[in-house]
Structures are given as C-alpha cells and as structure tokens.
Amino acid sequence: MSSSQTFQIAVFPGDGIGHEITPPALELLRQVAKRVGGFDFEFRTMEAGAAAYKKWGVALSEACRHSAQEADAILLAAMGLPDIRYPDGTEIVPQIDLRIALQLYAGIRPIRSIPNVPSPLGDKRAKALDVVLVRESTEGLFHAMGEGRGTIVDDAYCDDTMRITRTGTSRVVDAAFTLARHRKAQGLPGRVTCVDKANVFSSLAFFRQVFDERAVENADIVADHAYVDAMATNLVMRPWDYDVMVMENMFGDILSDLGAGLVGGLGYAPSIDLGDKHAVFQPCHGTAPDIAGKGIANPTAMLLSAALMLEWLGSKHGEDKAKEAGALIAAAVDQAFINGLITHENGGSDGVKEVTNTVSESLKTVMI
Ligand code: ATP
C-alpha cells in the first residue's frame, strides 16, 4: 500500500440521533488523519433506514447496498423509528439485512470502562473493566429476520425458530478465539467463555458441542462455559473475571446492553459487525427517538466505533498509521472524561457538542 492510502467509507447516519452523532465522528476522523498523516478518507454518506423507507418505500436501496459492499469499511449510526413500520407492523431494521447480505457474523461488543464515567458497580475493579462480548449475528433466534418472522396461527400461538448451524457457530467461535489470542499478546488473559443454555435447548447444546470442537483446534487459548442466566448475574457481580465471551444472537443482544450499563450506558458502547471481507462499525444503541433533536445524546459510542474502524483498517491493510490514529481517538475520549465531562445519561449537562469539542481538544495533544 502507498503512503497516501485513501480509505473509502460508506456512511449511514440512519435515523434519530444518528444525524447528530455522525458529523462529529467524521470530523474527528478527518482531524486524526491530518494529525497522523499517511492516509485519508473519502466519505460517501447515504440515506437508509426508517425515514428513507417513508420517503421512497425502500429502507436500504440496491445502490446503498452496493456502495456498502464496495467500501473499505462501513460506519453506521443507528436505524429505525417506532412510528414508521412495515405494513405488517414490524420495525425497519436494514442494519440486520446488511448483516445477512455481507455475512457479518461476529458482533464484537467491547465492554471497556472509561475513566471517571460512573458505573453502577461499586468495586474499584470496575474502573479498569475490559472484556469483550462476541455475538453471533446471522442466525440464532434472529435467523428468519431477513426472510419473514414467525407467524401467529389462528390467533392462538406463534413460533419463532432458533437456528444454530455448524458453519455459523464455527466461524463466530473462531473469531472469538482469534480475538482472545490478540488480547493475550497484549497482556490480557486470553480466554474464551461459551455462554449458552446447553442444559435445556438442543440447539444450544449443539452450539456448545461445536464450541468444544473449535476449542480443541485453539488449544493455546483457555476455553470454558457458562449458562446465560448465571452469566447475567456474574456480569453484574464480577465481570472482571471474564475476558472474551461468545454466544448466540439473542443472548448477545441482551447481554451487550447489560454490558453497556456496566460502563455508563448505551452511549459508551461501540461495536463491530465483522465478516470475512466486510465490517460495519456502529454504536450498540438505537436511534433514541426520545432524545433525538435535543442535542443531549452522548456521541462517545459513535466516536469509539470510528476508532475501532481505524484499528481494523490499519490491521487489514498493514497501515500502522491508521492503527495509531484509532488508539489516539480512544485515548482522546479517555482524556476528555478525565477532564470532567459528564453526559446527560449520567445526570450531567454535556451533550453532542460538549463531548465532541472536548474530545477534539484532547486529540490535539494526547499521546499514546
Ligand atoms: P434498538 O432496538 O434500535 O437497539 P432500543 O430500543 O434499545 O433501540 P435505544 O434507541 O438504544 O433503544 O434507546 C434506549 C434508551 O437509551 C433511550 O432512553 C435512549 O434515549 C437512551 N440512549 C440510547 N443511545 C443514547 C445515547 N447515545 N446517548 C444518550 N442516551 C442514549
């Protein structure tokens, strides 16, 4: 790669607070590229989501899908609005269609505490919490989302189906082991916990069986198991006992919101939807329609998602400058909160503008 690499980024602000938190992320990306040098961005911003559906009758056009496929990475804020729905009443969630279309099978959800951000955990160990939840993202209890959901029969019952496949489980479990290996090299424990309900559901016993098979192939990494109900307690009581956790789609959906709560709220939780070729970087939260347009949203999860994007682009393209830029954004976020930011969701008065400006100021001087 040349020293003047330009990364093509497909940008989806989506709906609700997505329009408020996307411009700061792009601004910060431009700023860090300028500071570090060696690479640049070309952003292609596209309309998709509930508002796009209302306007054109299509939530994610073919053109958007194509651009996403062609881009080096996809930065997505949030999509969906409660009062704009498909005729059958279901929510408009094209980000889930994108996961299926691009086979983004591993939802990487870091749960990392930020200095000074209040946590409901009293323990001092919560101040240095750094664990990662890996959510299978193409099947499980969500598997029919792209094809039509469970149907109510005779107004009497409705079945949704949990689909666990060998291929789907193997690839997400391997992604978890790879991540743990990477973390081990950085001095973290390097351990993968399979979170399931193998004692009750055949599908999840199969998930565990495939996990155990993959554990044999990844013998350099410690592997163990936990039931999801016990894990809900353990994540509240002693999350620092874990490192990387891998689980079925629905369990990951729920536990990653719990994880966000441990580090201050949904506004602090970034994510990657990772596939073999593509990746979408987005906050764990939704469009937050209750606070949209008020300027009080916390953009931190979006800024940290942009940082993860840089680190991933850097690793993928062998571009150390991009990796450095990602680490700088994460460090600037930490520094901004050390400097005293308190967001609305934690009872403070800092919103999009204040957080963005403080992080941007920190980015001018922060070192890694
Ligand atoms: P989805 O189903 O799309 O994930 P959700 O139903 O979980 O969405 P969110 O949109 O994530 O809902 O919002 C849940 C709550 O968290 C709301 O009260 C919202 O205001 C709050 N929230 C979400 N994101 C942020 C943010 N970035 N800053 C502040 N509050 C937020």
Side-chain angles (χ1 to χ4, degrees):
M1 145 146 81
S2 81
S3 59
S4 58
Q5 166 87 22
T6 298
F7 294 119
Q8 311 286 334
I9 311 296
V11 181
F12 292 98
D15 300 301
I17 61 168
H19 292 283
E20 299 168 59
I21 62 175
T22 302
L26 302 188
E27 211 35 64
L28 217 63
L29 285 168
R30 286 192 193 98
Q31 183 184 342
V32 80
K34 219 171 183 176
R35 172 173 165 182
V36 173
F39 68 93
D40 206 347
F41 300 102
E42 208 169 280
F43 297 119
R44 175 143 194 224
T45 301
M46 285 164 287
E47 278 186 70
Y53 175 78
K54 191 174 180 186
K55 207 156 139 192
W56 297 308
V58 182
L60 183 73
S61 69
E62 253 328 297
C64 286
R65 205 182 288 250
H66 181 73
S67 292
Q69 213 144 6
E70 294 299 304
D72 291 311
I74 301 153
L75 188 61
L76 190 155
M79 293 177 186
L81 290 171
D83 50 348
I84 304 177
R85 303 217 165 209
Y86 289 123
D88 68 356
T90 57
E91 241 185 279
I92 294 162
V93 280
Q95 61 273 38
I96 295 180
D97 301 337
L98 211 53
R99 277 178 208 156
I100 308 293
L102 303 181
Q103 285 298 293
L104 309 173
Y105 53 84
I108 311 286
R109 311 288 177 90
I111 301 164
R112 185 183 74 88
S113 52
I114 295 173
N116 280 352
V117 172
S119 162
L121 304 172
D123 197 294
K124 65 178 182 339
R125 287 172 288 185
K127 290 193 165 76
L129 185 60
D130 181 357
V131 297
V132 186
L133 201 144
V134 181
R135 167 187 177 182
E136 200 295 319
S137 301
T138 57
E139 52 183 37
L141 207 45
F142 281 71
H143 97 95
M145 292 291 277
E147 311 155 15
R149 306 175 193 210
T151 312
I152 300 168
V153 178
D154 296 337
D155 201 25
Y157 69 90
C158 181
D159 294 321
D160 280 303
T161 308
M162 169 92 82
R163 160 110 19 114
I164 300 293
T165 66
R166 172 172 291 282
T167 305
T169 305
S170 298
R171 63 188 184 178
V172 76
V173 164
D174 281 347
F177 278 114
T178 301
L179 178 62
R181 190 168 293 115
H182 182 68
R183 286 166 63 84
K184 195 174 173 183
Q186 295 174 333
L188 289 152
R191 170 171 150 229
V192 182
T193 303
C194 173
V195 181
D196 58 46
K197 191 75 182 166
N199 52 337
V200 175
F201 296 101
S202 305
S203 53
L204 295 169
F206 184 54
F207 187 91
R208 183 181 284 207
Q209 179 193 319
V210 176
F211 173 85
D212 287 345
E213 289 168 13
R214 298 314 304 159
V216 172
E217 300 299 319
N218 290 277
D220 57 317
I221 301 298
V222 175
D224 58 11
H225 315 108
Y227 294 131
V228 66
D229 42 348
M231 185 54 96
T233 303
N234 293 347
L235 276 179
V236 172
M237 304 288 289
R238 47 185 182 87
W240 39 81
D241 280 0
Y242 296 93
D243 186 29
V244 176
M245 292 153 274
V246 63
M247 64 204 71
E248 180 275 326
N249 209 336
M250 182 70 164
F251 292 167
D253 189 29
I254 297 167
L255 288 188
S256 56
D257 271 26
L258 188 156
L262 299 180
V263 292
L266 284 166
Y268 295 95
S271 84
I272 317 175
D273 280 340
L274 189 64
D276 289 331
K277 285 196 197 139
H278 305 278
V280 172
F281 299 83
Q282 68 176 122
C284 284
H285 59 72
T287 57
D290 53 335
I291 58 165
K294 297 181 181 165
I296 62 173
N298 178 5
T300 304
M302 185 69 178
L303 305 182
L304 291 173
S305 298
L308 291 174
M309 183 180 81
L310 277 169
E311 285 170 24
W312 180 79
L313 283 168
S315 296
K316 189 174 179 201
H317 296 271
E319 176 52 87
D320 287 344
K321 290 282 187 190
K323 282 203 256 181
E324 181 189 336
L328 278 170
I329 291 186
V333 166
D334 282 3
Q335 188 57 50
F337 282 91
I338 289 168
N339 291 350
L341 281 175
I342 307 176
T343 58
H344 279 265
E345 62 189 326
N346 296 129
S349 57
D350 296 320
V352 181
K353 205 168 68 189
E354 294 78 9
V355 174
T356 306
N357 291 345
T358 313
V359 174
S360 175
E361 266 317 299
S362 301
L363 188 58
K364 290 178 186 163
T365 53
V366 77
M367 305 295 275
I368 47 168

